[in-house]
Amino acid sequence: MAAQSFKTLSPFLLSPIRSKKLCSFVSSKVSVRLSHATSNFSSDELPCTSSSTSKSELKPGLYLVSTPIGNLEDITLRALRVLKSADVILSEDTRHSSKLLHHYNIKTPLVSYHKFNEREREASILKRLHEGEIVALISDAGTPGISDPGTQLVKACASENIVVTPIPGPSALVTALSASGLPTNEFTFGTFLHWVSAKTYYSLRRERLQTSSKEAATQIFYVPPHGIHEFLKEASTIFGDSRSCVIAREITKIHEEFWRGTLEEANKHFAGLQPKGEITLLIEGKTDFDEDTPSEAHLEQELTKLISGGHCLSSAVKLVSEATSAKKKDVYALALRLFGNRSGS
């Protein structure tokens, strides 16, 4: 498969004249249909973004609000309404989140909530929730709790019967999968693996990749820019050079890129590059299950069963090799190691 690289073009901008005509046309259409459209929504579902929105329209509880993963326009009307109406917004990085709130003129107070302080913040947050406050939780980008803080707080709320409401929106893994061209009917999300040199983490990472390499589902990983070279080398060794992959970078941003090819081609392409921005890397699932070699433990089990049942070593080796995809010489070597050169072999 030849490697391909696709980049998005700058958004098309309307001229002032065409923009005025379009706005005039749209407003006339909207005014006619608005009365019919709103009849399909309850008062709590209306896509209202007015600063006069009453907090009483929302029920007290924890709201998990998805935020843009790059382009600030990728936020829902409902998300904006919740953020404006909340008593407080829990934010992974208040400096980062303040840019989004400033862009949409949202004045709700921010409180830091990240992996280093989520345990100590939990009691005070639960207290506010029990007192009937509306608490919104956002991460730096995407959906809270998906490779971001939030899971522990949701678990605590569930155990104390506090209402948790998801406000759906952007997620890098789903966005990348939808445009990858790889199978979408089944996938496994491996999140961020450990990208440090410690031997323990190295072993855990390889073990996770080995498990992923045997699955039929599309495999999805978040990879930091500094870990891309090491990831591709390990993935090629474990998955095989010919396995197809898609490397999605800077999704929804100006320099968005979807690179497609095999793992071998990816290694060559990125060898001299140092990409910027978070990377979502997808690898096609395993397809050649018929040729899968059985584990040594399985072969040992079958050999032991046959020899215990009275078969000589050579007969057991023949039967096991015929029943599996294992090579006869490999089965024979294993049998010799386990049982020695018994008579009749």
Side-chain angles (χ1 to χ4, degrees):
M1 177 190 291
Q4 303 176 47
S5 179
F6 299 90
K7 295 187 177 180
T8 55
L9 298 176
S10 299
F12 174 72
L13 300 177
L14 291 172
S15 67
I17 296 177
R18 297 177 74 180
S19 178
K20 288 180 179 179
K21 290 182 178 179
L22 180 60
C23 289
S24 175
F25 172 75
V26 171
S27 63
S28 63
K29 292 291 184 181
V30 170
S31 61
V32 173
R33 297 180 181 177
L34 184 58
S35 60
H36 297 292
T38 55
S39 63
N40 296 323
F41 295 90
S42 68
S43 61
D44 186 51
E45 294 174 328
L46 285 174
C48 174
T49 58
S50 170
S51 59
S52 62
T53 300
S54 172
K55 292 184 180 181
S56 63
E57 292 181 11
L58 295 177
K59 297 177 181 179
L62 177 66
Y63 289 78
L64 308 178
V65 184
S66 298
T67 54
I69 57 176
N71 191 318
L72 291 181
E73 293 180 355
D74 294 333
I75 191 166
T76 68
L77 296 175
R78 188 181 179 204
L80 291 175
R81 179 164 65 92
V82 170
L83 293 178
K84 287 183 178 182
S85 303
D87 294 294
V88 65
I89 298 174
L90 306 179
S91 166
E92 188 176 5
D93 183 339
T94 55
R95 292 171 298 179
H96 179 85
S97 298
S98 63
K99 298 175 184 177
L100 173 68
L101 301 190
H102 177 74
H103 183 80
Y104 286 104
N105 194 32
I106 296 172
K107 308 296 185 181
T108 308
L110 283 169
V111 173
S112 66
Y113 181 82
H114 46 73
K115 64 181 180 180
F116 300 110
N117 71 359
E118 58 182 339
R119 292 282 185 183
E120 63 183 74
R121 292 274 196 212
E122 186 175 296
S124 61
I125 294 169
L126 291 175
K127 182 176 181 294
R128 298 182 73 154
L129 287 165
H130 279 301
E131 291 173 352
E133 290 195 10
I134 299 168
V135 177
L137 172 63
I138 62 176
S139 63
D140 285 348
T143 303
I146 308 299
S147 286
D148 280 320
T151 304
Q152 185 60 38
L153 182 57
V154 171
K155 183 179 179 180
C157 287
S159 66
E160 299 195 20
N161 295 318
I162 295 173
V163 176
V164 178
T165 304
I167 308 298
S171 175
L173 76 97
V174 175
T175 304
L177 178 64
S178 68
S180 68
L182 296 176
T184 60
N185 58 312
E186 185 179 4
F187 62 90
T188 300
F189 178 49
T191 189
F192 280 107
L193 301 181
H194 298 285
W195 296 106
V196 292
S197 58
K199 290 184 178 180
T200 302
Y201 289 139
Y202 173 77
S203 177
L204 290 172
R205 186 169 69 242
R206 284 189 64 85
E207 183 179 334
R208 181 66 184 86
L209 290 176
Q210 286 169 348
T211 299
S212 295
S213 69
K214 299 172 184 176
E215 295 186 14
T218 298
Q219 302 297 302
I220 307 175
F221 304 93
Y222 286 163
V223 183
H226 66 270
I228 186 64
H229 299 125
E230 186 176 356
F231 182 96
L232 289 174
K233 288 178 183 177
E234 291 183 9
S236 291
T237 301
I238 297 171
F239 285 81
D241 286 337
S242 62
R243 196 80 73 95
S244 294
C245 70
V246 176
I247 299 174
R249 187 180 65 85
E250 296 281 75
I251 302 175
T252 77
K253 299 180 182 178
I254 295 175
H255 301 293
E256 176 182 283
E257 178 182 23
F258 281 80
W259 186 98
R260 298 175 174 88
T262 65
L263 285 170
E264 181 180 22
E265 292 167 340
N267 266 297
K268 293 178 181 178
H269 178 80
F270 287 94
L273 302 176
Q274 185 53 65
K276 296 180 180 180
E278 297 297 346
I279 295 168
T280 303
L281 200 150
L282 307 91
I283 303 176
E284 72 169 334
K286 185 177 177 62
T287 57
D288 56 345
F289 284 96
D290 291 338
E291 300 176 5
D292 195 17
T293 302
S295 66
E296 187 173 294
H298 176 71
L299 294 175
E300 180 180 342
Q301 183 181 8
E302 294 302 311
L303 285 169
T304 303
K305 188 188 303 180
L306 290 170
I307 290 177
S308 299
H311 286 274
C312 65
L313 189 135
S314 60
S315 174
V317 168
K318 183 175 183 294
L319 290 171
V320 171
S321 60
E322 288 176 351
T324 67
S325 60
K327 294 180 180 179
K328 187 175 181 179
K329 65 177 183 179
D330 294 334
V331 179
Y332 187 68
L334 175 62
L336 284 177
R337 192 167 77 245
L338 293 171
F339 308 106
N341 192 6
R342 296 191 177 186
S343 60
S345 65

